[in-house]
Amino acid sequence: MTVSQQSNSNAPAERQGPPCKFIFVTGGVVSSLGKGIAAASIANLLESRGLRVTLQKMDPYLNVDPGTMSPFQHGEVFVTDDGAETDLDLGHYERFTHAKLTQANNWTSGRIYEKILTKERRGDYLGKTVQVIPHVTNEIKASIQRVATPDVDVALIEIGGTVGDIESLPFLEAIRQMRHEMGRDNTAFVHVTLVPYIAAAGELKTKPTQHSVKELRSIGIQPDLLVCRTEGDISRDIREKIALFCDVAGDAVVAAADVDSVYKVPVKFAEQQVDEILLHHLRIDAQPRRLEPWLEMLDRLDHPDYTVTIGIVGKYVDYEDSYKSLKESLLHGGLAHRVRVEVRWVEAESITPAEAHQQLASLDGILVPGGFGNRGIDGMLEAIRYARESKIPYFGICLGMQTMVIEFVRNVCGIADAHSTEFEPAAKNRVFFKLRELKGVEDLGGTMRLGSWPCVLKPGTLAHDCYGEDKIDERHRHRYEFNREFDEPIQSKGMVISGETPDHTYVEICELPDHPWYLGCQFHPEFKSKPLEPHPLFASFVGAASQRRAGRDSERKRSEEEQFLRAGNR
Ligand code: GLN
């Protein structure tokens, strides 16, 4: 092979056919308007028409990634297969589409600057002045172009923040330049804005939208489609007024009224031809929309047979965004059985041995999710003991698996001081620790086991039964590992190690056979569940919770009948 052939084989494959087109999604007026859901819903509709899509989130803040940001402030950290710690919007993107997302699909200003500063220190700029324009904007454009791989027809790029923020300006300038360079047919601007209802006046107000679009136009971006968030619908008059003042086509003013489930947004958009308008704008010929599976899923969502109650025992329960994917996965698990899952958030710190029964007995299933730090651990251990002894289905995820095993070692194996070195660095019986502690290597600070790892399942176990496969891949985000010195103690008392890495280094799943449903996994299955593909562990767990619910219902009925008969005999 010649040198030039070699370098060619490393170069990204040349694009065949038409160029990848871009849809840029910006937001105005206020934050939290659901730009991520809007982008994901458009992508969902385009995918339903046979197009291959990808999505990317640009976050204007200076943190290099959300990995070290507090879940209280920033919500969940979503993890991709390649181990990127990303914004939770990437979770929406994956749940609404089949796009394969990686580190390349989430950028922050911090990461863009980090790249530029590394180049500057290396001397790559040859002593030139390094500036926001062109250096930062070029780096942003290059990052956007990198997701336009040959297997993508349309890339949706969501710009975080609100138009008018100082920090999002370089991103807006970069996408303005892309329109200039690539032309109107290859780029579309979608602006998500707010049309508030002012109760005192009894009117919907268009002024905030007008101002937001004015702001956008002042930096050279003319939106092609406006997604107007409202409480209810928007009348024809108001749409026309917005269209006129904002200079967009009348049918390109789309109402995004509040809905009770985010999964309904694609349908609302379809009713207003959002996909049709964008495809026309981008001059793309696509198949007709195929929404049947999605509509079938919504039918299950809207017409559940009954409700099951799952208690999530954690420490961020006041901040539901910190468990976004988890909540969605439970909902998906419910879809698999046509049941509605009601989540009851239980603050771990509030659980005590004396009150556990009163706090937890009415639940159909108990789940301890992932988490970091000491707070609430005792309450979690108590909830787990209660679930084990009372035979309530229990699902432990990451920290919830670690606490599940610690509880077992303490209360079943009789080793009272068993712990994880995360919570008790000097623990004598360290059931979870960093493997490096064993090998005597210095603590590597932030090093986590991140992203997708293979796991081999033991035949004849609940885990194997759920997946119906011998080998799976799941995503990780944690530091502490099961100490294999405890294989024998736990197994001799009946706990089964049902999943481990192929090299037997890491324990990935543990379970108790003598229980309706009792399983903990070291990975985060919630990052891979989708409404159309509920994750097997969540589907099975909610199934077990439904059975408990059905069992309790028939028990209640029987005792009511008995009471009735007794009363009649008196
Ligand atoms: N704190 C635990 C660890 O780092 C669990 C992490 C998690 O639940 N994501 O291992």
Side-chain angles (χ1 to χ4, degrees):
M1 196 187 263
T2 66
V3 173
S4 72
Q5 273 172 327
Q6 267 173 12
S7 58
N8 274 345
S9 68
N10 287 334
E14 277 292 308
R15 212 191 151 78
Q16 306 285 323
C20 177
K21 313 249 176 173
F22 291 93
I23 298 176
F24 300 107
V25 181
T26 55
V29 186
V30 289
S31 59
S32 307
L33 284 180
K35 285 195 301 285
I37 299 288
S41 298
I42 294 171
N44 173 291
L45 292 178
L46 298 181
E47 208 176 58
S48 87
R49 309 185 61 137
L51 294 168
R52 298 161 307 167
V53 297
T54 192
L55 297 110
Q56 187 183 44
K57 173 89 190 271
M58 294 298 189
D59 281 311
Y61 52 75
L62 286 171
N63 306 63
V64 172
D65 66 40
T68 48
M69 292 168 84
S70 163
F72 293 117
Q73 259 200 22
H74 195 257
E76 166 186 277
V77 175
F78 186 78
V79 180
T80 52
D81 272 340
D82 67 337
E85 299 178 271
T86 72
D87 185 80
L88 56 77
D89 271 327
L90 271 77
H92 297 309
Y93 300 168
E94 286 203 350
R95 288 188 282 272
F96 279 67
T97 70
H98 291 90
K100 295 260 170 288
L101 306 179
T102 67
Q103 181 77 72
N105 298 78
N106 188 195
W107 287 83
T108 65
S109 295
R111 227 170 104 228
I112 298 274
Y113 274 90
E114 189 188 41
K115 247 184 125 184
I116 291 169
L117 294 177
T118 309
K119 283 191 192 171
E120 191 272 338
R121 291 291 84 185
R122 225 174 29 213
D124 290 9
Y125 296 110
L126 306 172
K128 285 200 205 103
T129 313
V130 184
Q131 292 176 299
V132 172
I133 301 172
H135 298 99
V136 172
T137 45
N138 281 352
E139 204 62 56
I140 294 171
K141 286 194 287 179
S143 315
I144 295 176
Q145 289 288 1
R146 228 169 277 135
V147 297
T149 49
D151 55 347
V152 173
D153 300 316
V154 183
L156 288 102
I157 315 296
E158 179 191 344
I159 311 295
T162 307
V163 169
D165 294 349
I166 291 176
E167 42 181 25
S168 54
L169 271 176
F171 290 100
L172 297 172
E173 169 60 13
I175 63 176
R176 184 198 67 76
Q177 291 182 10
M178 283 183 72
R179 154 69 63 97
H180 178 78
E181 289 158 6
M182 300 179 65
R184 184 194 168 284
D185 294 358
N186 294 317
T187 50
F189 291 115
V190 172
H191 189 54
V192 183
T193 142
L194 180 71
V195 179
Y197 177 75
I198 304 297
E203 271 177 33
L204 284 173
K205 291 293 182 189
T206 64
K207 196 73 85 188
T209 295
Q210 292 180 41
H211 277 292
S212 178
V213 171
K214 192 170 151 211
E215 185 81 36
L216 202 53
R217 290 164 78 175
S218 75
I219 42 184
I221 295 175
Q222 167 62 48
D224 302 302
L225 187 125
L226 291 176
V227 173
C228 303
R229 288 299 312 277
T230 60
E231 278 174 44
D233 201 12
I234 303 183
S235 69
R236 181 143 206 97
D237 286 357
I238 303 258
R239 281 182 209 239
E240 275 166 13
K241 187 171 167 191
I242 295 173
L244 181 65
F245 287 125
C246 300
D247 211 7
V248 296
D251 63 354
V253 178
V254 171
D258 293 346
V259 277
D260 56 9
S261 163
V262 292
Y263 299 124
K264 293 187 179 165
V265 178
V267 179
K268 294 283 167 211
F269 281 8
E271 285 164 7
Q272 299 173 79
Q273 311 301 335
V274 169
D275 49 343
E276 205 60 54
I277 296 166
L278 288 169
L279 290 176
H280 179 76
H281 174 98
L282 294 170
R283 311 257 185 274
I284 299 176
D285 275 332
Q287 306 161 16
R289 213 184 275 140
R290 240 203 101 236
L291 279 183
E292 292 78 11
W294 199 263
L295 292 171
E296 210 274 316
M297 179 271 290
L298 290 179
D299 181 67
R300 286 171 165 260
L301 183 73
D302 279 340
H303 303 101
D305 291 336
Y306 51 92
T307 300
V308 300
T309 310
I310 306 283
I312 297 186
V313 180
K315 77 171 199 184
Y316 310 115
V317 291
D318 291 335
Y319 301 84
E320 291 186 21
D321 261 5
S322 352
Y323 300 117
K324 188 103 211 153
S325 297
L326 182 65
K327 229 176 104 184
E328 296 303 318
S329 305
L330 285 168
L331 183 146
H332 307 157
L335 292 174
H337 303 278
R338 213 183 251 279
V339 302
R340 192 176 84 83
V341 176
E342 182 190 302
V343 170
R344 193 171 309 156
W345 302 96
V346 186
E347 174 58 55
E349 272 190 317
S350 75
I351 299 179
T352 58
E355 285 168 272
H357 177 74
Q358 192 211 328
Q359 291 166 308
L360 306 171
S362 64
L363 297 169
D364 301 312
I366 294 177
L367 192 152
V368 173
F372 294 84
N374 228 330
R375 191 162 74 73
I377 296 295
D378 289 341
M380 292 173 201
L381 291 170
E382 207 39 52
I384 293 166
R385 183 193 58 77
Y386 184 78
R388 181 174 55 75
E389 292 176 353
S390 313
K391 306 261 187 233
I392 301 180
Y394 173 76
F395 192 4
I397 294 177
C398 207
L399 177 64
M401 180 258 205
Q402 299 176 351
T403 40
M404 173 185 115
V405 178
I406 292 168
E407 188 280 327
F408 192 80
V409 176
R410 285 188 184 182
N411 299 330
V412 180
C413 306
I415 305 175
D417 64 349
H419 225 322
S420 162
T421 54
E422 178 176 10
F423 314 122
E424 185 60 65
K428 188 155 75 51
N429 286 297
R430 41 187 199 176
V431 187
F432 285 85
F433 65 165
K434 294 183 192 168
L435 282 198
R436 292 181 202 94
E437 292 177 33
L438 185 68
K439 291 175 187 150
V441 178
E442 281 287 289
D443 178 12
L444 293 182
T447 313
M448 288 215 215
R449 187 144 76 91
L450 277 169
S452 192
W453 283 69
C455 167
V456 178
L457 302 175
K458 187 170 173 172
T461 59
L462 172 61
H464 191 276
D465 187 47
C466 290
Y467 284 95
E469 280 176 78
D470 296 333
K471 200 171 161 217
I472 54 156
D473 296 282
E474 292 283 4
R475 298 182 190 170
H476 294 67
R477 180 171 184 259
H478 71 109
R479 292 194 180 85
Y480 295 81
E481 304 287 352
F482 177 71
N483 177 354
R484 305 229 54 168
E485 286 171 15
F486 286 85
D487 273 24
E488 200 282 323
I490 64 165
Q491 285 174 331
S492 66
K493 293 287 182 188
M495 186 168 267
V496 172
I497 295 173
S498 48
E500 49 183 342
T501 46
D503 64 0
H504 309 291
T505 302
Y506 300 112
V507 168
E508 300 284 42
I509 312 178
C510 289
E511 58 186 76
L512 273 188
D514 185 22
H515 193 283
W517 210 98
Y518 200 84
L519 181 146
C521 54
Q522 188 59 84
F523 47 79
H524 289 273
E526 71 271 29
F527 294 141
K528 284 176 77 163
S529 188
K530 300 177 186 225
L532 294 188
E533 295 156 37
H535 190 283
L537 291 179
F538 282 95
S540 174
F541 172 60
V542 175
S546 314
Q547 275 179 16
R548 172 174 159 87
R549 152 79 212 254
R552 289 193 310 149
D553 278 356
S554 63
E555 208 172 282
R556 191 181 323 122
K557 220 165 136 205
R558 209 176 30 246
S559 85
E560 277 168 10
E561 276 168 15
E562 272 171 22
Q563 265 185 19
F564 175 74
L565 290 175
R566 266 203 304 274
N569 287 338
R570 233 181 262 140

